[in-house]
Amino acid sequence: MFSFCRAADQNSAGDPLTASHTRIETARDACHHRIRKCSLSLCALLLVTARFGISQSPQPLQEARSLLAADKVSAAAAVLRGYLKNDPSSAEAHYLLGDVLFREQKARESLAEFTEGAKFKHPGASELRIVASDYVLLGDFADADKWFSAVTAETPNDPEAWYLLGRTKYNENRFAEAITSFEHVLALRPKDVQAQDNLGLSQQGLGHAEEAKAAFETAIQWQGDAPVDAQPYLNLGTLLIDRGDLPAAVQQLTKAAALAPDNPRIHEELGRALQSKGDFEGAQSQLEEAVKLAPNAAALHFKLGQIYRHRGLNDRAQQEFAVCAKLNGGHSSTEVPNPFSPATPQRP
């Protein structure tokens, strides 16, 4: 019998688990360019999940699906809870309620519903995809990997499942396996820009800078004259900074900022490139924009304070250092959000 809850319950209840359900720590060094993550609570709601068929479902379950399709999550939950009072053995209702709870970012409660539903019906790929996504929300990439792997085993021609598995493996630092997953995506869906970009990140994780650069450039090339995805430009620009090619880095990061002006990570990196070139005024402008977009990222306040101090703006520098200290004292994140970072295994 399936039980999806044990790994999620371990840290809160202290129950013994099998090795396959051991929770992994996912903290990353904020200064390392590979691992700039945003809050998991922001990412999980964007995960692509397959929807269930409705042909043979009772009317209340069809209604719940329609409400979910219209993003009326609370109303769908009310319908499902009412239905389960009369038919608590409905696997379909439990699975749908698990989907609802996932969308509400209640991962543990969602896993409990999938466990309950599995008592009455073997979960399929669409159910397991949401189970895996719950573990992403919990920051438990080991179990996310386990269930995304189960999805790809059941639906090996599903490029989206391979993509999500690749993103998960990246976050486990299993870069070679992530590359294999992204290669599966590209075989099933040629010229997939996001898969190619993530393949580059995985090559970079292995220390293969030339292969990473080539992958980012290919992802940019595939977008043609009307690009929409800023990530390859950001990743290539960051790599070029690290390699000391500052003019090219500024060029790529400027394009990234034009495509995604609300991404603080891009402004931070563009500011870093300009500062390295000696353009402190330009760097100040970029860091100010980044702080405006991510006011709770202590690292940004510190970097902006350093630029103010370099420019002789000591009062403003002290203000930024004070904000940084306050945020750090309150255990605020020192990491700079990137809505589409590798630590968020989702499609935008």
Side-chain angles (χ1 to χ4, degrees):
M1 180 180 295
F2 281 86
S3 176
F4 302 109
C5 300
R6 296 181 67 198
D9 290 341
Q10 180 187 20
N11 291 334
S12 60
D15 294 334
L17 306 178
T18 60
S20 65
H21 279 137
T22 301
R23 182 78 175 274
I24 64 168
E25 289 295 326
T26 59
R28 298 291 189 265
D29 183 347
C31 297
H32 200 291
H33 70 84
R34 290 198 315 250
I35 308 171
R36 288 158 175 120
K37 68 167 73 174
C38 72
S39 168
L40 286 166
S41 64
L42 297 177
C43 82
L45 291 179
L46 297 177
L47 281 163
V48 180
T49 56
R51 297 299 165 221
F52 306 96
I54 64 174
S55 57
Q56 301 299 320
S57 300
Q59 191 277 331
L61 300 189
Q62 294 188 41
E63 179 185 358
R65 284 198 179 83
S66 296
L67 290 167
L68 277 177
D71 204 27
K72 297 179 179 179
V73 178
S74 296
V79 170
L80 290 166
R81 292 188 191 283
Y83 183 81
L84 283 167
K85 286 182 180 179
N86 296 319
D87 186 2
S89 63
S90 171
E92 195 172 9
H94 284 294
Y95 290 153
L96 278 172
L97 185 55
D99 188 0
V100 167
L101 291 165
F102 162 71
R103 297 187 194 204
E104 293 179 336
Q105 300 190 54
K106 298 176 181 177
R108 297 185 190 280
E109 294 90 336
S110 175
L111 290 170
E113 290 299 327
F114 282 104
T115 296
E116 191 65 23
K119 295 177 182 178
F120 310 108
K121 178 184 175 183
H122 191 283
S126 56
E127 290 89 359
L128 294 179
R129 190 187 296 234
I130 302 173
V131 167
S133 301
D134 277 324
Y135 280 111
V136 170
L137 185 60
L138 290 169
D140 184 347
F141 292 112
D143 273 312
D145 184 323
K146 172 182 177 179
W147 297 114
F148 279 135
S149 294
V151 174
T152 58
E154 188 167 334
T155 57
N157 293 323
D158 180 357
E160 201 66 33
W162 283 108
Y163 177 83
L164 294 169
L165 178 59
R167 298 271 282 197
T168 302
K169 286 185 178 294
Y170 181 94
N171 282 288
E172 297 177 277
N173 291 338
R174 297 167 69 170
F175 301 120
E177 293 175 46
I179 288 171
T180 299
S181 294
F182 294 127
E183 287 175 341
H184 273 289
V185 178
L186 292 165
L188 294 165
R189 190 159 55 198
K191 295 192 175 181
D192 185 298
V193 170
Q194 291 176 317
Q196 180 70 14
D197 180 51
N198 279 273
L199 187 143
L201 287 170
S202 301
Q203 291 283 9
Q204 193 173 4
L206 290 173
H208 301 163
E210 285 298 327
E211 291 86 343
K213 181 174 180 288
F216 297 144
E217 290 172 339
T218 299
I220 289 171
Q221 179 187 353
W222 284 349
Q223 296 192 69
D225 296 330
V228 296
D229 190 343
Q231 283 301 120
Y233 294 95
L234 168 60
N235 294 329
L236 178 57
T238 300
L239 177 63
L240 291 169
I241 295 174
D242 295 336
R243 300 184 71 176
D245 191 349
L246 299 177
V250 170
Q251 182 183 31
Q252 298 302 325
L253 291 165
T254 299
K255 291 178 181 178
L259 290 170
D262 294 333
N263 187 331
R265 187 78 194 95
I266 293 173
H267 293 288
E268 181 197 25
E269 286 300 297
L270 182 52
R272 181 164 76 101
L274 291 169
Q275 183 176 356
S276 297
K277 285 186 65 181
D279 181 0
F280 284 87
E281 184 177 358
Q284 175 184 321
S285 177
Q286 293 300 319
L287 265 295
E288 287 173 341
E289 185 63 23
V291 165
K292 188 185 305 181
L293 293 167
N296 293 324
L300 291 177
H301 291 280
F302 182 78
K303 292 176 181 179
L304 181 56
Q306 287 181 312
I307 291 174
Y308 283 151
R309 185 168 59 186
H310 180 87
R311 301 195 68 209
L313 304 172
N314 293 325
D315 289 343
R316 296 173 73 176
Q318 289 305 314
Q319 290 175 3
E320 293 303 320
F321 292 144
V323 173
C324 176
K326 182 178 179 181
L327 288 171
N328 283 333
H331 305 290
S332 178
S333 173
T334 59
E335 299 169 351
V336 180
N338 175 11
F340 306 119
S341 92
T344 64
Q346 87 282 345
R347 292 271 176 172

